[in-house]
Amino acid sequence: MLVDTKARIGVFSIALGAYLPQFPSLTPEFEGQYEAFKKTIPDTVEIVDGGLVTTKELAQVAGDKFRAADVDLVILQLLTYATSYNMLPAVRDLDVPVVLVNVQKKKAPDYENTDTATWLGELYACGAVGEMVADLERAGKRHAVITGVVEGGDPQVQAEIEAWCRAAQVRRRFRDTNLAQIGRPYPGMMDLYIDETNLYHRMFLYTKQFDWEKMWAIADDIADEEVIRAKAQDILDTFEIEGGGTIEKVWEMAKYVVAFEQWVKEEQIAFIASHYDGFAQGKAGVLDSMLIPAFSMLIKQGVACAVEGDIKVAMAMSILKTISGTGQLSEMYSIDFEKDICIIGHSGSGDADISEKKPAMKIVPVFHGKTGGGYLTQFYPHLGPVTYLGITQDRDGRFKFVVAEGINEPGPIFTFGDTNMRTRFSCGAREFCNKWSEAGPTHHMAAASGRHIDTILKVAKIFNVPVDIITR
């Protein structure tokens, strides 16, 4: 990604201190289990190590570390029975979920040859989980439980841990990077309008405002021909250009992409929401004509670029790109009632990573609904499972996720240059349109290849926002 971030995960384990002097073998046993557990945390995140906690005082030390590091998530390994008093001081001042990993070392007891120390050290799972959740609930803390076994490996536990880490990465990305708003939202699309102060308070995302005058001049100082040539080749490698593509044909576009990449890094931008409504003449016309593929090159590198000034769909695109590797701007286009499928897509910038074949770039004399003309891009999203995510707000400004899973099917699509998907939903096209619309989303949503509702629910728990699940 052009602007990289790394989630910070608070990790600790707990055991009851009263057991340790009674059974001296437990301390090295628990230390070994905790070291092994930390290795199950993917190296895509930064571990903030709270250690092996056996007393209230050690829990307070862990809590100080987590608070100082501004952790995005806490993962707690339950080693044996422990009182919730060993857990609460570590998390009481945090506003992030606590994931209780309840893993037993051995698959099953050797009943006749198991003494108390072996039972407490290697076979005690599930006894303390209810106590922990009860007190997290009373403390107003969000929580989740993962149960499994160490012996022989447990892919389900590993998959859950990795999904939580991807979800935590969304929080860190929102927290550490900025959103660039260029221009203003498309006039009259009031579902897109947003209070940037409320956005910062509720979703941690800071908005930087930019004028188009700055964007028109952004490539003026880009003069390194070797760098421009390499970027031009990158564009040709990414897109199939109607009428044939050459370095010379995309040279000016490549200059702007290089400039945008530098700007993104300098301003720590991971989201862009833009809309231009001017005369599209001179430098304005040059940039406006090539903005769609230029922003598509940024999306390819992890920067969510949304058309029509839609900040909320830029957030949705970034969430899906972060947790799944793809994030395509979309909206409802049409319904094929004969086939009972929805046609979903959008004109504008897109994500090359969602395309099953090389996306196309073509020139049109008029952009529909906006000023000027120029390059359109058409992507060809993968067939098979697809996830849609919309982000909206209620009357009090609180955010809500709207999600659905479907299947992208083969068949004819529109040929006028926009990205389209033929999506079948388990509830049927008519009912999907009713239910999705009744949830009150903005008219844009993001799409990603695969099924991702379970991970989106984890993201929602981290941000403490509700989720409407339309169909899966």
Side-chain angles (χ1 to χ4, degrees):
M1 289 189 172
L2 278 175
V3 180
D4 211 357
T5 53
K6 207 168 188 179
R8 301 170 194 164
I9 310 295
V11 181
F12 72 118
S13 62
I14 59 172
L16 188 64
Y19 293 154
L20 304 186
Q22 294 177 313
F23 306 100
S25 64
L26 288 181
T27 295
E29 174 65 37
F30 291 153
E31 289 174 345
Q33 287 189 39
Y34 181 53
E35 289 303 313
F37 176 70
K38 285 188 289 185
K39 292 177 181 176
T40 68
I41 309 298
D43 59 9
T44 53
V45 303
E46 174 189 339
I47 291 178
V48 180
D49 193 346
L52 171 57
V53 171
T54 56
T55 65
K56 169 181 173 288
E57 289 71 26
L58 288 173
Q60 288 174 319
V61 171
D64 289 342
K65 285 185 179 180
F66 298 159
R67 189 172 58 252
D70 181 30
V71 296
D72 301 298
L73 181 72
V74 171
I75 298 179
L76 167 59
Q77 179 195 26
L78 300 174
L79 290 163
T80 186
Y81 175 75
T83 57
S84 50
Y85 144 113
N86 287 359
M87 171 196 65
L88 285 172
V91 301
R92 72 171 300 275
D93 295 327
L94 303 175
D95 187 23
V96 297
V98 181
V99 179
L100 306 166
V101 182
N102 176 45
V103 287
Q104 183 170 289
K105 184 177 180 180
K106 292 186 175 181
K107 284 185 177 180
D110 177 357
Y111 295 96
E112 294 181 357
N113 298 302
T114 297
D115 58 15
T116 302
T118 303
W119 165 58
L120 290 174
E122 302 178 12
L123 290 161
Y124 192 100
C126 73
V129 187
E131 177 175 338
M132 302 299 150
V133 171
D135 285 320
L136 287 169
E137 190 70 23
R138 292 171 70 188
K141 303 297 178 184
R142 305 185 295 285
H143 47 76
V145 175
I146 302 172
T147 296
V149 65
V150 175
E151 185 180 13
D154 195 325
Q156 187 172 338
V157 168
Q158 189 61 42
E160 280 289 296
I161 289 172
E162 291 175 2
W164 273 108
C165 288
R166 287 194 300 274
Q169 179 67 11
V170 174
R171 180 183 187 269
R172 182 50 47 188
R173 193 154 182 79
F174 277 50
R175 209 168 180 89
D176 282 1
T177 62
N178 302 301
L179 183 143
Q181 186 173 51
I182 313 172
R184 51 164 174 70
Y186 192 103
M189 291 182 179
M190 298 182 72
D191 59 326
L192 310 187
Y193 295 178
I194 196 167
D195 175 347
E196 290 88 357
T197 304
N198 181 55
L199 172 66
Y200 180 71
H201 286 318
R202 294 187 185 275
M203 301 295 285
F204 321 124
L205 185 55
Y206 181 71
T207 305
K208 290 188 172 185
Q209 304 284 353
F210 295 90
D211 293 324
W212 278 111
E213 285 81 359
K214 180 172 183 175
M215 297 299 107
W216 297 334
I218 199 169
D220 285 357
D221 297 328
I222 304 300
D224 188 328
E225 292 196 357
E226 187 174 336
V227 171
I228 299 169
R229 185 173 297 276
K231 188 52 61 179
Q233 188 59 54
D234 189 13
I235 293 169
L236 296 178
D237 292 341
T238 301
F239 291 101
E240 194 71 50
I241 301 177
E242 186 179 63
T246 64
I247 295 287
E248 293 70 27
K249 193 171 184 177
V250 298
W251 187 266
E252 194 70 17
M253 185 187 300
K255 283 182 64 176
Y256 273 100
V257 174
V258 171
F260 280 135
E261 289 176 352
Q262 291 181 4
W263 168 68
V264 160
K265 290 177 181 178
E266 289 168 3
E267 300 284 355
Q268 288 289 103
I269 290 168
F271 317 73
I272 299 171
S274 68
H275 179 67
Y276 176 66
D277 187 19
F279 295 105
Q281 297 173 352
K283 278 194 166 187
V286 171
L287 177 54
D288 190 47
S289 71
M290 64 180 63
L291 206 55
I292 288 171
F295 277 168
S296 296
M297 295 300 292
L298 294 185
I299 295 172
K300 182 181 174 183
Q301 300 175 82
V303 180
C305 299
V307 300
E308 296 170 355
D310 189 350
I311 287 175
K312 284 174 274 194
V313 82
M315 293 159 60
M317 291 166 67
S318 182
I319 290 171
L320 290 183
K321 187 72 171 174
T322 302
I323 67 174
S324 75
T326 56
Q328 173 68 37
L329 176 70
S330 302
E331 69 177 35
M332 291 289 291
Y333 255 43
S334 186
I335 296 176
D336 186 331
F337 284 97
E338 291 183 350
K339 299 295 185 182
D340 195 28
I341 60 171
C342 294
I343 311 299
I344 299 176
H346 209 281
S347 174
S349 306
D351 186 0
D353 288 330
I354 205 172
S355 197
E356 66 176 357
K357 67 178 183 178
K358 199 171 182 179
M361 190 192 306
K362 64 184 293 186
I363 296 178
V364 295
V366 179
F367 293 135
H368 80 268
K370 59 171 290 205
T371 299
Y375 288 98
L376 284 181
T377 55
Q378 183 165 5
F379 300 81
Y380 305 96
H382 295 105
L383 301 180
V386 61
T387 300
Y388 293 102
L389 168 63
I391 298 180
T392 189
Q393 292 175 276
D394 66 14
R395 63 187 297 173
D396 296 315
R398 290 184 293 261
F399 288 89
K400 179 177 76 170
F401 293 170
V402 183
V403 295
E405 292 172 346
I407 300 290
N408 279 345
E409 296 187 351
I413 56 174
F414 294 122
T415 59
F416 45 78
D418 292 354
T419 299
N420 281 177
M421 292 169 277
R422 296 166 56 86
T423 307
R424 184 175 301 280
F425 296 99
S426 59
C427 61
R430 186 194 307 263
E431 191 63 15
F432 171 77
C433 188
N434 290 342
K435 288 183 175 180
W436 183 270
S437 302
E438 284 287 346
T442 63
H443 70 279
H444 294 144
M445 66 269 221
S449 299
R451 300 188 183 279
H452 303 290
I453 284 181
D454 288 340
T455 306
I456 291 169
L457 291 173
K458 293 174 173 61
V459 174
K461 184 166 282 191
I462 289 173
F463 282 91
N464 200 20
V465 299
V467 183
D468 280 3
I469 300 175
I470 306 305
T471 187
R472 45 188 326 183

